[in-house]
Amino acid sequence: MNDRHRRTAAALILTVALAGCQPGAAPRPAVGSPAPVSPQVTASPSAAAAPAPIGLADPNAGRAAGAELGEASPVPGASIAALPPPAGRGAVPRGTLAPVVFHGPRNRKRIALTFDSNMTDAMLRRLAARKVKSYANTAVVDELQRTRTPATFFLAGKWIEAYPELTRRIAADPRFELASHSWAHEGFRPGCYDLGTLDRAAMAADVERSFQVIGRFTDHPSRYFRFPGGCYDKAALAAIAPVGCTVVEYDDVSGDAFGADPKRIAADTVAQARPGSIVVLHITEANAPETAVALPSVIKQLRDRGFELVTLGELLA
């Protein structure tokens, strides 16, 4: 991989990718997007069946389960409207233009730590070929559980298929909340780094499929969704309206993506923190190797400053 490709790959995971954003600055809505609003909250869904086993990466076969042949069933776009009404935190009626949230109420000293798990076919092939050790940072989950810290995880469907056991561990902890980071982690608008552009007609099916996978692991999934790369526009919001979800961005960019200095990551995160802030971090170890190292300081400093750390659902309730 040449330097240009490395820089492009590094940019991929940086979820400061909204149009007009600058590194370290809070993201802004894309031109023509609706004003951020708080999501509606509906009743939790009924208990789901136990998750079926999903194959891990198979280096010997030279491919990874979930790369081109994911085990989750594709969702025909035309059939989404016939699915049951969406339920759980963040759910809105199908056909509703997705609300966009950047932070919670500013009148309470509460903050939500959120963690993205990126996964593309290219990343899965690198994993299968043993070019990287792991895209799952279990030390992040260890630290959150050690400190009894609530958190919300935005998981890509293909990441879930590569790491089902860690997904089960996250889903089993009542302090954690599962949300969607899409199925295939492709761009939902042109020019979103090197993610390509998902066909508009396939966008709703991609997001619905990701919620289908998450539903295998928990009987109380949220209906929160974060765009890959943080990139979206008005057309993308309209395209995913059949899903009935709430789009969640952030106003506190940790800088952990490809960050090499955990002290800087912690300092930047704490410096941006405000009442109601949504912090974006990552659990893709190979692309964000210092997150677990920075996390103890982030948690301690925020709590020392009087912030209560809560799940996204609690923040927006």
Side-chain angles (χ1 to χ4, degrees):
M1 180 181 290
N2 59 36
D3 289 342
R4 181 175 64 83
H5 287 164
R6 290 182 187 278
R7 289 193 296 269
T8 302
L12 163 62
I13 195 173
L14 291 172
T15 48
V16 296
L18 288 173
C21 283
Q22 298 296 325
R28 303 178 184 278
V31 176
S33 299
V37 298
S38 296
Q40 301 175 15
V41 179
T42 63
S44 298
S46 58
I54 301 174
L56 288 167
D58 182 1
N60 295 325
R63 69 173 184 87
E68 285 79 17
L69 300 173
E71 293 193 21
S73 300
V75 182
S79 70
I80 293 178
L83 294 174
R89 285 173 166 170
V92 299
R94 292 192 187 277
T96 303
L97 192 67
V100 182
V101 176
F102 289 85
H103 60 79
R106 295 297 195 190
N107 60 350
R108 298 184 67 181
K109 291 195 73 174
R110 285 181 153 195
I111 285 179
L113 300 182
T114 69
F115 296 82
D116 290 358
S117 73
N118 304 10
M119 187 60 80
T120 64
D121 283 349
M123 292 166 66
L124 282 164
R125 287 191 290 268
R126 287 177 59 80
L127 184 65
R130 298 182 179 178
K131 293 181 178 179
V132 298
K133 179 181 178 182
S134 177
Y135 287 113
N137 196 337
T138 57
V140 167
V141 181
D142 292 342
E143 185 60 28
L144 291 169
Q145 292 184 321
R146 184 188 71 81
T147 56
R148 303 171 68 86
T149 302
T152 300
F153 293 83
F154 284 87
L155 307 180
K158 293 189 176 185
W159 186 94
I160 292 173
E161 289 205 338
Y163 298 106
E165 293 306 320
L166 183 55
T167 302
R168 291 189 183 97
R169 178 182 169 189
I170 293 170
D173 193 316
R175 294 186 184 86
F176 296 158
E177 180 177 52
L178 300 186
S180 167
H181 198 36
S182 84
W183 160 253
H185 206 268
E186 297 182 62
F188 278 67
R189 70 159 171 79
C192 186
Y193 301 115
D194 64 350
L195 290 177
T197 306
L198 186 65
D199 186 270
R200 189 177 303 175
M203 291 180 178
D206 178 278
V207 180
E208 189 67 47
R209 188 177 186 183
S210 71
F211 283 122
Q212 178 193 93
V213 177
I214 290 171
R216 291 178 171 182
F217 292 83
T218 178
D219 61 358
H220 53 279
S222 76
R223 207 70 177 178
Y224 297 130
F225 169 66
R226 179 169 288 161
F227 283 104
C231 305
Y232 73 97
D233 55 19
K234 186 175 182 180
L237 292 176
I240 67 171
V243 178
C245 63
T246 293
V247 171
V248 178
E249 294 294 325
Y250 37 81
D251 67 335
D252 190 334
V253 181
S254 67
D256 66 334
F258 291 93
D261 184 350
K263 291 183 179 179
R264 176 66 182 272
I265 293 168
D268 287 351
T269 301
V270 173
Q272 296 173 73
R274 298 175 57 193
S277 282
I278 298 172
V279 182
V280 59
L281 296 125
H282 298 82
I283 57 168
T284 44
E285 183 176 8
N287 295 344
E290 300 299 330
T291 306
V293 180
L295 195 54
S297 180
V298 170
I299 293 170
K300 183 179 187 304
Q301 289 189 65
L302 289 176
R303 284 176 169 164
D304 286 348
R305 295 185 180 205
F307 287 106
E308 179 186 6
L309 302 181
V310 297
T311 65
L312 184 63
E314 293 170 321
L315 183 74
L316 301 179

